[in-house]
Amino acid sequence: FYKMGDRKIIFSCKAFVKAGIDLKDFTAEDVKVGKDNSVVVTLPQPTVLSMNMPAEQIKVEFSKVSGLRTSFNAEERNELLKQGEVNILGDMENLGILKDARDNAVVFFQTLLAGAGFESVVVNFKEKKEA
């Protein structure tokens, strides 16, 4: 059944995303110590560790209902917000969050291992797994 009229809604929100290296797959085989006081560490790819969209940070910026249409109910609003969350998670690479996590992991491990006495520290990442 087609309903006459338009129905539009625009939300704004703040999403808090934490990304980092999950070390549960990190093993001793991922660390290669050279005789020349060097070390090569191969880390898992950065991942999203958590995401939070607090309800108090979600606002309806625009809503328009015309014709024979009904307003958006709570269930429809929640479904639209879920779509937004999926879109944010799907765009992590373009947002630079995973790159920042990768860069921070490199700095962390270089500093940690240099402090442990290694003169040369190389940090690599495992190949990305295709979804």
Side-chain angles (χ1 to χ4, degrees), residues 5-128:
D6 286 332
R7 194 166 75 142
K8 300 175 185 178
I9 193 166
I10 297 176
F11 292 100
S12 69
C13 67
K14 285 188 180 179
F16 299 92
V17 178
K18 291 183 185 179
I21 306 298
D22 187 350
L23 294 177
K24 75 175 189 260
D25 295 328
F26 186 70
T27 65
E29 288 81 35
D30 296 324
V31 179
K32 306 289 187 227
V33 179
K35 293 182 182 179
D36 57 347
N37 208 19
S38 66
V39 63
V40 177
V41 178
T42 304
L43 298 172
Q45 288 290 326
T47 60
V48 174
L49 302 174
S50 70
M51 180 174 168
N52 183 20
M53 285 178 31
E56 63 273 6
Q57 297 287 335
I58 299 171
K59 296 179 182 126
V60 176
E61 298 292 341
F62 175 81
S63 180
K64 179 181 177 184
V65 179
S66 65
L68 302 174
R69 303 298 302 261
T70 59
S71 296
F72 288 90
N73 62 35
E75 184 178 332
E76 291 170 322
R77 288 176 186 228
N78 285 337
E79 284 301 316
L80 290 170
L81 290 170
K82 284 181 192 176
Q83 286 178 18
E85 187 174 322
V86 168
N87 288 340
I88 291 169
L89 289 171
D91 206 26
M92 280 296 114
E93 203 62 55
N94 293 330
L95 294 172
I97 294 169
L98 296 178
K99 181 189 178 309
D100 289 346
R102 193 176 294 112
D103 294 345
N104 290 337
V106 169
V107 170
F108 174 80
F109 276 92
Q110 286 176 336
T111 304
L112 177 72
L113 295 170
F118 289 99
E119 293 175 15
S120 173
V121 179
V122 176
V123 179
N124 295 320
F125 291 89
K126 294 178 182 177
E127 294 295 318
K128 291 183 182 182

